[in-house]
Amino acid sequence: MSVAALLWAYAQGRSALAHPEPWWSLPAVEATAVSLALGLVLGLGVVAATRELVHRTAWAAELHVSFRAILGPLTGRRIAFLAATSGIGEELFFRGAMQPVLGLPLTALVFGLLHVGPSRSFLPWTAWAILMGLGFGAVFSASGSLAGCVLAHVLINHENLHFIDAYDPRPHASAHRLGPALVAQRLRSGGTARSR
Protein backbone atom coordinates (compact mmCIF):
# COMPACT_ATOMS: atom_id res chain seq x y z
CA MET A 1 0.00 0.00 0.00
CA SER A 2 2.85 2.37 0.83
CA VAL A 3 4.61 1.65 -2.46
CA ALA A 4 1.37 2.19 -4.39
CA ALA A 5 0.85 5.50 -2.61
CA LEU A 6 4.37 6.73 -3.33
CA LEU A 7 4.12 5.74 -6.99
CA TRP A 8 0.67 7.33 -7.34
CA ALA A 9 1.91 10.63 -5.91
CA TYR A 10 5.15 10.47 -7.92
CA ALA A 11 3.16 9.96 -11.15
CA GLN A 12 1.41 13.25 -10.35
CA GLY A 13 4.70 15.03 -9.71
CA ARG A 14 4.24 15.51 -5.97
CA SER A 15 5.13 14.00 -2.61
CA ALA A 16 2.69 11.81 -0.70
CA LEU A 17 4.04 13.33 2.53
CA ALA A 18 2.76 16.86 1.90
CA HIS A 19 -0.63 18.24 0.87
CA PRO A 20 -0.32 20.26 -2.35
CA GLU A 21 -2.84 22.89 -1.18
CA PRO A 22 -3.00 23.03 2.64
CA TRP A 23 -5.55 25.20 4.42
CA TRP A 24 -2.77 26.91 6.38
CA SER A 25 0.34 28.14 4.60
CA LEU A 26 3.15 27.16 6.96
CA PRO A 27 6.88 26.58 6.52
CA ALA A 28 7.74 22.87 6.38
CA VAL A 29 9.10 22.60 9.94
CA GLU A 30 6.13 24.45 11.43
CA ALA A 31 3.70 22.42 9.32
CA THR A 32 5.21 19.21 10.67
CA ALA A 33 5.11 20.47 14.28
CA VAL A 34 1.49 21.60 13.96
CA SER A 35 0.55 18.33 12.27
CA LEU A 36 2.18 16.27 15.04
CA ALA A 37 0.45 18.34 17.74
CA LEU A 38 -2.95 17.93 16.07
CA GLY A 39 -2.31 14.23 15.50
CA LEU A 40 -1.38 13.68 19.15
CA VAL A 41 -4.53 15.44 20.36
CA LEU A 42 -6.68 13.48 17.89
CA GLY A 43 -5.03 10.17 18.77
CA LEU A 44 -5.31 10.58 22.54
CA GLY A 45 -8.91 11.78 22.22
CA VAL A 46 -9.91 8.77 20.16
CA VAL A 47 -8.17 6.35 22.52
CA ALA A 48 -10.03 7.86 25.50
CA ALA A 49 -13.34 7.93 23.60
CA THR A 50 -12.95 4.28 22.60
CA ARG A 51 -12.58 3.17 26.20
CA GLU A 52 -15.57 5.23 27.30
CA LEU A 53 -17.74 3.85 24.50
CA VAL A 54 -16.77 0.24 25.27
CA HIS A 55 -17.57 0.77 28.97
CA ARG A 56 -20.83 2.66 28.40
CA THR A 57 -22.47 1.36 25.19
CA ALA A 58 -23.64 -2.10 24.19
CA TRP A 59 -22.71 -1.71 20.51
CA ALA A 60 -19.10 -0.75 21.29
CA ALA A 61 -18.75 -3.59 23.83
CA GLU A 62 -20.14 -6.05 21.25
CA LEU A 63 -17.71 -4.76 18.63
CA HIS A 64 -14.85 -5.05 21.13
CA VAL A 65 -15.75 -8.68 21.86
CA SER A 66 -15.97 -9.42 18.12
CA PHE A 67 -12.48 -8.02 17.58
CA ARG A 68 -11.17 -10.10 20.49
CA ALA A 69 -12.58 -13.22 18.84
CA ILE A 70 -11.08 -12.42 15.43
CA LEU A 71 -7.67 -11.26 16.61
CA GLY A 72 -7.09 -13.77 19.38
CA PRO A 73 -4.26 -13.25 21.86
CA LEU A 74 -1.83 -10.54 20.77
CA THR A 75 1.80 -10.04 21.72
CA GLY A 76 3.30 -6.59 22.19
CA ARG A 77 5.50 -7.16 19.15
CA ARG A 78 2.56 -8.15 16.94
CA ILE A 79 0.57 -5.13 18.12
CA ALA A 80 3.47 -2.79 17.35
CA PHE A 81 3.87 -4.34 13.87
CA LEU A 82 0.15 -4.13 13.05
CA ALA A 83 -0.15 -0.57 14.37
CA ALA A 84 2.89 0.69 12.47
CA THR A 85 2.24 -1.02 9.15
CA SER A 86 -1.46 -0.20 8.98
CA GLY A 87 -1.01 3.36 10.25
CA ILE A 88 1.82 4.24 7.88
CA GLY A 89 0.50 2.36 4.84
CA GLU A 90 -3.08 3.57 5.12
CA GLU A 91 -2.11 7.18 5.75
CA LEU A 92 0.30 7.25 2.82
CA PHE A 93 -2.33 5.73 0.53
CA PHE A 94 -5.56 7.38 1.63
CA ARG A 95 -4.39 10.79 2.81
CA GLY A 96 -1.06 11.20 0.99
CA ALA A 97 -2.04 9.80 -2.41
CA MET A 98 -5.84 9.68 -2.64
CA GLN A 99 -7.06 12.76 -0.76
CA PRO A 100 -5.40 15.38 -2.99
CA VAL A 101 -7.11 13.71 -5.97
CA LEU A 102 -10.57 12.84 -4.61
CA GLY A 103 -10.88 15.43 -1.84
CA LEU A 104 -11.43 15.02 1.89
CA PRO A 105 -15.09 13.85 2.07
CA LEU A 106 -14.86 11.23 -0.69
CA THR A 107 -11.54 9.88 0.58
CA ALA A 108 -12.97 9.55 4.11
CA LEU A 109 -15.97 7.68 2.69
CA VAL A 110 -13.78 5.27 0.70
CA PHE A 111 -11.56 4.76 3.75
CA GLY A 112 -14.58 3.93 5.90
CA LEU A 113 -16.22 1.65 3.35
CA LEU A 114 -13.04 -0.40 3.15
CA HIS A 115 -13.29 -1.00 6.91
CA VAL A 116 -16.12 -3.52 6.69
CA GLY A 117 -16.26 -6.53 8.96
CA PRO A 118 -17.71 -10.01 8.48
CA SER A 119 -21.05 -9.28 10.19
CA ARG A 120 -23.54 -6.51 10.96
CA SER A 121 -21.96 -5.99 14.38
CA PHE A 122 -19.06 -4.35 12.53
CA LEU A 123 -21.19 -1.60 10.94
CA PRO A 124 -20.33 0.86 13.74
CA TRP A 125 -16.65 0.23 12.93
CA THR A 126 -17.32 1.30 9.33
CA ALA A 127 -19.09 4.47 10.48
CA TRP A 128 -16.29 5.16 12.99
CA ALA A 129 -13.71 4.70 10.22
CA ILE A 130 -15.50 7.30 8.08
CA LEU A 131 -15.32 9.76 11.01
CA MET A 132 -11.66 8.89 11.54
CA GLY A 133 -11.01 9.45 7.83
CA LEU A 134 -12.48 12.93 8.20
CA GLY A 135 -10.32 13.57 11.28
CA PHE A 136 -7.09 12.31 9.72
CA GLY A 137 -7.90 14.15 6.50
CA ALA A 138 -8.57 17.41 8.34
CA VAL A 139 -5.17 17.20 10.05
CA PHE A 140 -3.52 16.63 6.66
CA SER A 141 -5.47 19.37 4.87
CA ALA A 142 -5.00 21.92 7.64
CA SER A 143 -1.29 21.47 8.32
CA GLY A 144 -0.13 20.23 4.94
CA SER A 145 1.96 17.50 6.61
CA LEU A 146 1.18 13.78 6.80
CA ALA A 147 3.21 13.36 10.01
CA GLY A 148 0.33 13.97 12.44
CA CYS A 149 -2.01 11.63 10.57
CA VAL A 150 0.53 8.83 10.82
CA LEU A 151 1.16 9.56 14.51
CA ALA A 152 -2.57 9.57 15.32
CA HIS A 153 -3.31 6.42 13.32
CA VAL A 154 -0.41 4.43 14.77
CA LEU A 155 -1.19 5.63 18.32
CA ILE A 156 -4.89 4.74 18.02
CA ASN A 157 -4.18 1.31 16.55
CA HIS A 158 -1.45 0.55 19.08
CA GLU A 159 -3.43 1.54 22.16
CA ASN A 160 -6.74 0.09 21.00
CA LEU A 161 -5.16 -3.25 20.05
CA HIS A 162 -3.66 -3.40 23.55
CA PHE A 163 -7.09 -2.57 24.97
CA ILE A 164 -8.80 -5.25 22.87
CA ASP A 165 -6.26 -7.82 24.02
CA ALA A 166 -6.30 -6.85 27.70
CA TYR A 167 -9.95 -6.12 28.43
CA ASP A 168 -12.98 -8.38 28.11
CA PRO A 169 -16.18 -6.36 28.63
CA ARG A 170 -18.42 -9.39 29.12
CA PRO A 171 -19.90 -9.45 32.65
CA HIS A 172 -18.68 -12.97 33.40
CA ALA A 173 -15.09 -12.18 32.43
CA SER A 174 -13.16 -11.52 35.62
CA ALA A 175 -9.76 -11.77 33.96
CA HIS A 176 -8.22 -9.22 31.65
CA ARG A 177 -9.76 -6.15 33.24
CA LEU A 178 -7.87 -3.05 32.16
CA GLY A 179 -8.45 -0.47 34.85
CA PRO A 180 -6.65 2.83 35.41
CA ALA A 181 -3.97 1.25 37.60
CA LEU A 182 -3.25 -1.39 34.96
CA VAL A 183 -3.03 1.25 32.23
CA ALA A 184 -0.58 3.25 34.33
CA GLN A 185 1.45 0.09 35.00
CA ARG A 186 1.62 -0.71 31.28
CA LEU A 187 2.61 2.83 30.36
CA ARG A 188 5.35 2.83 33.03
CA SER A 189 6.70 -0.55 31.93
CA GLY A 190 6.37 0.16 28.20
CA GLY A 191 4.76 -3.23 27.65
CA THR A 192 1.48 -4.97 28.09
CA ALA A 193 -0.08 -5.38 31.50
CA ARG A 194 -2.63 -8.06 32.20
CA SER A 195 -4.64 -8.48 35.32
CA ARG A 196 -4.29 -11.75 37.19
Side-chain angles (χ1 to χ4, degrees), residues 30-47:
E30 288 179 28
T32 301
V34 167
S35 180
L36 288 170
L38 292 172
L40 183 62
V41 170
L42 176 63
L44 292 174
V46 170
V47 167

Side-chain angles (χ1 to χ4, degrees), residues 9 23 25 35 55 98 104 107 110-111 121 144 151 155 175:
W23 297 341
S25 181
S35 180
H55 289 299
M98 185 181 288
L104 172 55
T107 299
V110 172
F111 178 72
S121 67
L151 173 64
L155 175 64

